[in-house]
């Protein structure tokens, strides 16, 4: 029999428990309803952002900047609304819930990221509209670049923050709809952020170089990639400019034949840099582009110019022929001295292949000087405007085809870590797993117009200690046919006094590993080669000379091992080449 007192105690304790349980149910139900409603509203806002983003891209592609700006402003408002809906205390508290917590957190990150990215992007489009609609002058262009610097940096920083936040989520832990949204935003950021970062560098660098209140001498150097060097090609043609308060004028032209060979390096060089190219790096002006660090190239070129003219330039600005072609493609054909037009798509072949077939050496020199002069005129005439400039130079800048050095220490420091700092800077910007691949011609010819290259990179687990090995495969092909060799002069097929067979492409191929790594050998179809080894910029670097007969293809396998256990995703940063390299079909195995 149950006593009255026992029933009374159960009754006394049961009511509060029941009340608490009911309260919990009510709170959970209310919380779920709150999350459901706000989640539904946030989804609608994000769908609006997605729809508007496509329209923004379409209008921008058609140069309707005003319409794109209005749409982007609307997209930002919708993104801010979605961020507000997914950032209240209840939503943040729900991040810890089982099953749905990661999804709710991911939706919040996507919403806030879109708001943070689109906010500073609105003034960028406003500046783009000014660039399109207003009159064109050098002073005005410099003003637009200066004004664009801050929002470019803000947008880039927002994208980097978003990328870091999104990387926390695993698709396997998210429902498909949310996982798709995270993947879509991550892909967009991966595509756009490098371009924005380069644009930020340009917005900082251009006013520094061209906008000084004091007269600034700028030496434009055009690299000739038909004779490849680490930086892209030999230093071939030079144009001295003077910039003052936004005005730029041409002072003098010169070509490499005017510079006298030196008995020793024109400036003191680090032993590794000096020995990297057989002791000739500082003895010939053409070899100024051998060092991976453009700061060293700038010092070499400055010294060469001072030796020729008596005056050192304040700035060295380097372009290669593909960069010029891209600029011409974006701004319209060049009108040559004979009245004919040269389009961007034909420029590389015309200047670096056909000119060598049809012109003698003096005529080639004059033709290349004319192309350089017309390019400078195109840059200075201002008719195309800054958007065309950036449109034409965006890809060459990202590929390392545009580099800048300054004799002013403050400006040099500002440039050193940017995309304009040469291969060394590009390696540093590419992360801790970046490997540099450099090419330097050994024939003194112009055969690299016929060089085709592809790369492969693979991580290998060849030991039980979890220390990764990396294979960097470089596949090279000589595209010239054997029967075409006789139609080319010796200064194209190679200097016979150097001991190479005319028509062969002979290249010093070097691979530079991250600091602290170890060289594991170089192999040609499994046969070990005897490489040279140096340490460039604290990076272990190994080099072999590879000869390719007409029509021949070879794959060289460079091996490295990490200093300890690590997860590695190798990235290749390479010499800018005349043709875009492909991805090689190379299967790496442990040796």
């Amino acid at each position: 029999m149950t006593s009255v007192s026992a029933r009374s105690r159960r009754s006394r304790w049961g009511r509060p428990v029941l009340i608490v349980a009911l309260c919990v149910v009510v709170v959970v139900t209310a919380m779920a309803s709150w999350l459901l409603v706000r989640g539904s509203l946030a989804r609608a806002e994000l769908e609006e952002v997605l729809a508007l983003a496509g329209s923004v891209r379409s209008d921008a592609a058609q140069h309707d900047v005003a319409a794109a700006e209005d749409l982007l402003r609307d997209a930002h408002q919708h993104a801010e609304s979605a961020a507000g809906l997914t950032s209240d205390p209840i939503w943040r508290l729900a991040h810890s819930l089982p099953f749905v917590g990661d999804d709710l957190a991911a939706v919040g990150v996507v919403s806030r990221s879109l708001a943070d990215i689109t906010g500073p992007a609105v003034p960028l489009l406003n500046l783009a509209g000014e660039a399109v609609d207003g009159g064109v002058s050098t002073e005005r262009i410099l003003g637009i670049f200066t004004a664009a610097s801050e929002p470019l940096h803000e947008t880039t920083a927002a994208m980097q923050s978003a990328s870091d936040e999104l990387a926390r989520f695993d698709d396997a832990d998210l429902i498909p709809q949310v996982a798709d949204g995270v993947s879509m935003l991550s892909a967009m950021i991966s595509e756009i952020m490098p371009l924005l970062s380069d644009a930020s560098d340009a917005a900082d660098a251009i006013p520094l170089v061209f906008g000084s209140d004091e007269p600034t001498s700028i030496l434009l150097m055009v690299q000739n990639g038909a004779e490849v060097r680490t930086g892209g090609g030999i230093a071939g043609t030079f144009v001295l400019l003077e910039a003052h308060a936004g005005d730029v004028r041409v002072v003098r032209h010169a070509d490499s034949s005017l510079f006298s060979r030196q008995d020793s390096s024109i400036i003191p060089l680090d032993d590794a840099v000096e020995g990297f190219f057989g002791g000739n790096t500082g003895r010939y002006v053409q070899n100024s582009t051998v060092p991976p660090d453009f700061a060293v190239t700038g010092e070499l070129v400055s010294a060469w110019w001072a030796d020729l003219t008596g005056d050192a330039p304040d700035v060295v600005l380097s372009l290669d022929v593909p960069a010029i072609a891209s600029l011409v493609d974006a701004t319209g054909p060049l009108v040559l001295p004979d009245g004919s037009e040269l389009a961007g798509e034909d420029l590389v072949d015309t200047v670096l292949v056909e000119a060598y077939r049809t012109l003698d050496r003096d005529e080639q020199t004059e033709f290349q000087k004319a192309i350089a002069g017309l390019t400078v005129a195109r840059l200075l005439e201002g008719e195309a405007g800054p958007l065309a400039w950036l449109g034409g130079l965006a890809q060459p800048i990202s590929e390392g085809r545009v580099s800048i050095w300054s004799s002013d220490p403050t400006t040099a420091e500002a440039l050193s870590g940017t995309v304009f700092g040469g291969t060394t800077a590009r390696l540093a910007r590419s992360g801790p797993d970046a490997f540099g691949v450099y090419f330097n011609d050994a024939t003194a010819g112009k055969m690299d117009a016929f060089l085709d290259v592809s790369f492969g990179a693979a991580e290998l687990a060849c030991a039980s200690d979890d220390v990764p090995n990396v294979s960097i495969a470089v596949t090279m092909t000589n595209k010239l046919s054997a029967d075409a060799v006789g139609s080319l002069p010796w200064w194209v097929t190679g200097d016979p006094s150097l001991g190479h067979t005319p028509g062969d492409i002979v290249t010093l191929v070097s691979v530079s590993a991250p600091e602290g790594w170890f060289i594991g050998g170089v192999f040609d179809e499994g046969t070990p080669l005897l490489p040279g080894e140096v340490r460039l910029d604290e990076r272990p670097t190994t080099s072999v000379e590879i000869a390719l007969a007409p029509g021949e293809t070879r794959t060289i396998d460079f091996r490295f091992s990490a200093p300890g256990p690590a997860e590695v995703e190798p990235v290749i940063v390479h010499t800018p080449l005349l043709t875009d390299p492909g991805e090689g079909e190379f299967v790496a195995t442990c040796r």
Side-chain angles (χ1 to χ4, degrees), residues 451-532:
L451 174 64
D452 186 70
V453 174
S454 62
F455 299 114
E459 179 191 356
L460 301 170
C462 298
S464 58
D465 54 8
D466 295 326
V467 174
N469 292 271
V470 165
S471 164
I472 303 296
V474 182
T475 299
M476 306 168 63
T477 299
N478 184 343
K479 297 184 295 182
L480 186 69
S481 62
D483 57 3
V485 174
S487 66
L488 296 171
W490 69 263
W491 57 84
V492 175
T493 59
D495 185 348
S497 68
L498 296 178
H500 304 300
T501 303
D504 283 6
I505 294 178
V506 185
T507 312
L508 184 71
V509 184
S510 310
V511 178
S512 188
E515 184 177 351
W517 281 59
F518 302 97
I519 295 171
V522 182
F523 303 87
D524 181 0
E525 301 295 336
T527 301
L529 304 178
L530 295 176

Side-chain angles (χ1 to χ4, degrees), residues 145-172:
F145 278 119
T146 301
S149 177
E150 183 176 348
L152 277 169
H153 283 291
E154 289 179 358
T155 306
T156 304
M159 284 195 169
Q160 183 61 64
S161 177
S163 179
D164 294 341
E165 286 288 304
L166 293 169
R168 296 190 295 110
F169 299 104
D170 188 335
D171 286 355

Side-chain angles (χ1 to χ4, degrees), residues 142-510:
L142 290 174
I144 290 172
F145 278 119
T146 301
S149 177
E150 183 176 348
L152 277 169
H153 283 291
E154 289 179 358
T155 306
T156 304
M159 284 195 169
Q160 183 61 64
S161 177
S163 179
D164 294 341
E165 286 288 304
L166 293 169
R168 296 190 295 110
F169 299 104
D170 188 335
D171 286 355
D173 298 330
L174 305 174
I175 62 174
Q177 297 93 323
V178 175
D180 288 346
V182 169
S183 298
M184 185 182 300
L185 182 56
S186 297
M188 182 201 75
I189 291 173
S190 296
E191 177 186 355
I192 297 176
M193 190 165 64
L195 299 176
L196 280 179
S197 179
D198 293 346
S200 299
D201 288 348
D204 292 341
I206 289 173
L208 279 174
V209 173
F210 291 97
S212 174
D213 292 333
E214 299 296 326
T216 302
S217 57
I218 302 169
L219 183 61
L220 172 65
M221 174 179 69
V222 180
Q223 296 189 42
N224 181 348
E227 187 175 345
V228 71
R229 293 290 184 270
T230 302
I234 59 169
T237 304
F238 303 86
V239 181
L240 183 67
L241 312 172
E242 183 180 90
H244 184 208
D247 291 325
V248 184
R249 67 183 183 92
V250 177
V251 177
R252 179 172 179 174
H253 294 257
D255 65 82
S256 59
S257 65
L258 298 178
F259 297 83
S260 301
R261 184 188 69 178
Q262 303 288 314
D263 293 331
S264 59
S265 179
I266 195 165
I267 62 172
L269 293 173
D270 179 88
D271 289 343
V273 173
E274 179 66 24
F276 181 50
F277 199 55
N280 289 325
T281 302
R283 295 181 58 220
Y284 298 85
V285 69
Q286 294 94 328
N287 292 340
S288 298
T289 48
V290 166
D293 187 353
F294 194 76
V296 180
T297 293
E299 291 174 1
L300 282 165
V301 172
S302 177
W304 281 107
W305 191 257
D307 185 68
L308 177 69
T309 68
D311 295 309
D314 298 313
V315 172
V316 175
L317 169 63
S318 175
L319 302 173
D320 67 1
V321 176
I324 293 174
S326 183
L327 180 67
V328 171
D329 194 49
T331 59
L334 296 177
V335 180
L336 300 179
D338 63 3
S340 63
E341 291 188 345
L342 180 57
E345 61 183 1
D346 302 319
L347 194 144
V348 171
D349 186 69
T350 300
V351 175
L352 298 183
V353 179
E354 291 306 316
Y356 289 114
R357 295 184 191 274
T358 59
L359 304 177
D360 63 31
R361 300 187 78 176
D362 291 338
E363 291 172 334
Q364 292 161 21
T365 298
E366 290 304 313
F367 182 61
Q368 290 173 359
K369 285 173 61 177
I371 295 297
L374 290 169
T375 301
V376 170
R378 173 63 52 82
L379 287 169
L380 299 184
E381 68 187 7
E383 293 182 6
L387 286 186
W389 279 23
L390 283 180
L393 291 176
Q395 184 172 343
I397 287 173
S398 70
E399 294 173 348
R401 301 183 185 278
V402 183
S403 301
I404 307 173
W405 169 86
S406 172
S407 63
D408 176 70
T410 302
T411 303
E413 179 66 24
L415 293 171
S416 62
T418 71
V419 71
F420 301 108
T423 306
T424 297
R426 290 166 57 219
L427 277 169
R429 290 162 61 91
S430 299
D433 299 336
F435 290 76
V437 182
Y438 314 140
F439 298 86
N440 286 279
D441 172 77
T443 69
K446 300 294 182 289
M447 285 293 298
D448 293 309
F450 306 102
L451 174 64
D452 186 70
V453 174
S454 62
F455 299 114
E459 179 191 356
L460 301 170
C462 298
S464 58
D465 54 8
D466 295 326
V467 174
N469 292 271
V470 165
S471 164
I472 303 296
V474 182
T475 299
M476 306 168 63
T477 299
N478 184 343
K479 297 184 295 182
L480 186 69
S481 62
D483 57 3
V485 174
S487 66
L488 296 171
W490 69 263
W491 57 84
V492 175
T493 59
D495 185 348
S497 68
L498 296 178
H500 304 300
T501 303
D504 283 6
I505 294 178
V506 185
T507 312
L508 184 71
V509 184
S510 310

